[in-house]
Amino acid sequence: MHVAADDLGRLGTDDRYRLRVLATARRLSRYDTISHWSAAALWGLPAVDGWPDEIHSTVPAGSGLCPNRTLRRHRTRTPEAETLHVAGLPVTSLARTVIDVAGTASFSAAVAVADAALFSVGRGDHDGLSLLSFRSALSGALDELGRAPGSARARRVIDFADERANRPGESLSRVTMHLIGAPPPELQFRVIGASGRIWHTDFGWPEFGAAAEFDGRAKYSDPQFLRSRTPADVVYDEKVREDDIRPSVRTFGRWDWSTARSPKRMASALQRLGVPVGRD
């Protein structure tokens, strides 16, 4: 696979790593299944801590295959029940991919992956998968792990994951709130604006009359969020929306990645909203 340097330079980090995964196709043995973070990339899942340097695959424990300069090979005694093909490569199923990441990555990065997978299933991106069947598949993949290393942390991630968190910044914010002992927010919090229009904010604490939004750069630059609007249009639309919401709540706040990642900044942001921080 050859990509012109100019074209490669225009790719984002997600696409560049995905391209590296695709480029390993001719180096795979018949036992290799793309897995962990490399499978997550092919499934379109986020990496809030950045992508790894290596390509990950899983092989049967008795295959005799070892890691090499190209592949970081994970061994399993439990054969993958559902190896699928994505972009022409053998890849662990979406559920198995989530569990593999959940058992090996940081809690925040793994929650972002699990949330994103659940959201994409709920949105109907995966034929034949419903939230109910996908949750069942996740439970089955957890059961296969048994008491293997990483099983407890994977279960913690799945128990915490929520399909209503539709952006990685929201997932990271939830994790940071959890770590500082803040009360869990209602996600996609329903607010009836002053105009009578119904809005949904990323986070809400009705008991404190507070609502908040995660505001990443993507909202003002990503075509998925722009929907044929200019960044200036989005800024204006957000202002109109916020002006309609504010009379219906006691406090309203916004934050970006720097706050979502920082316990200190998150604590300050929540306290300004009147949301208590710290467990009793």
Side-chain angles (χ1 to χ4, degrees):
M1 178 179 292
H2 299 282
V3 179
D6 288 347
D7 292 336
L8 187 61
R10 284 191 287 268
L11 294 178
T13 56
D14 294 356
D15 286 333
R16 273 183 281 173
Y17 183 70
R18 196 172 293 119
L19 194 62
R20 287 181 54 210
V21 176
L22 293 173
T24 66
R26 65 180 181 277
R27 301 186 183 94
L28 296 177
S29 79
R30 63 191 179 95
Y31 297 109
D32 281 300
T33 299
I34 297 296
S35 64
H36 295 74
W37 280 114
S38 301
L42 295 183
W43 283 115
L45 301 174
V48 297
D49 291 339
W51 297 104
D53 294 329
E54 61 277 294
I55 307 302
H56 290 255
S57 75
T58 293
V59 296
S63 68
L65 293 170
C66 297
N68 57 39
R69 293 175 59 185
T70 303
L71 291 169
R72 178 179 176 184
R73 286 184 165 118
H74 303 261
R75 299 185 180 213
T76 179
R77 294 188 180 279
T78 303
E80 168 62 10
E82 189 184 0
T83 297
L84 304 177
H85 280 78
V86 178
L89 292 180
V91 179
T92 50
S93 67
L94 184 62
R96 174 65 180 272
T97 299
V98 170
I99 295 303
D100 284 344
V101 170
T104 54
S106 70
F107 183 63
S108 57
V111 167
V113 163
D115 281 357
L118 284 163
F119 178 78
S120 68
V121 170
R123 190 172 54 189
D125 291 350
H126 305 279
D127 291 342
L129 275 182
S130 65
L131 281 172
L132 183 62
S133 65
F134 185 56
R135 282 281 188 183
S136 178
L138 289 172
S139 295
L142 276 172
D143 290 342
E144 287 180 4
L145 279 182
R147 296 186 178 181
S151 58
R153 61 195 296 178
R155 191 170 297 278
R156 180 180 173 224
V157 168
I158 300 310
D159 288 344
F160 190 80
D162 194 309
E163 65 273 7
R164 294 171 297 173
N166 66 359
R167 288 178 291 169
E170 294 175 33
S171 302
L172 193 56
S173 296
R174 291 199 309 117
V175 170
T176 304
M177 292 176 202
H178 175 71
L179 294 177
I180 63 176
E186 289 189 20
L187 304 185
Q188 301 304 311
F189 179 56
R190 185 175 182 268
V191 179
I192 301 176
S195 67
R197 183 171 179 178
I198 295 175
W199 304 98
H200 290 86
T201 65
D202 295 337
F203 312 105
W205 296 264
E207 65 272 36
F208 304 111
E213 295 268 282
F214 171 79
D215 247 0
R217 183 183 296 272
K219 181 180 285 188
Y220 306 98
S221 61
D222 190 323
Q224 176 184 348
F225 295 104
L226 290 175
R227 297 192 297 274
S228 300
R229 298 173 296 170
T230 68
D233 290 336
V234 176
V235 171
Y236 179 76
D237 289 347
E238 285 295 305
K239 180 184 183 303
V240 170
R241 177 174 179 268
E242 184 173 330
D243 287 346
D244 198 36
I245 289 172
R246 278 190 177 275
S248 301
V249 295
R250 189 180 62 81
T251 56
F252 184 89
R254 294 180 181 275
W255 56 73
D256 60 10
W257 284 101
S258 63
T259 296
R261 292 182 180 278
S262 167
K264 183 177 179 179
R265 291 184 179 183
M266 180 61 74
S268 178
L270 294 182
Q271 287 165 346
R272 287 195 298 273
L273 290 172
V275 177
V277 172
R279 297 181 175 87
D280 295 335

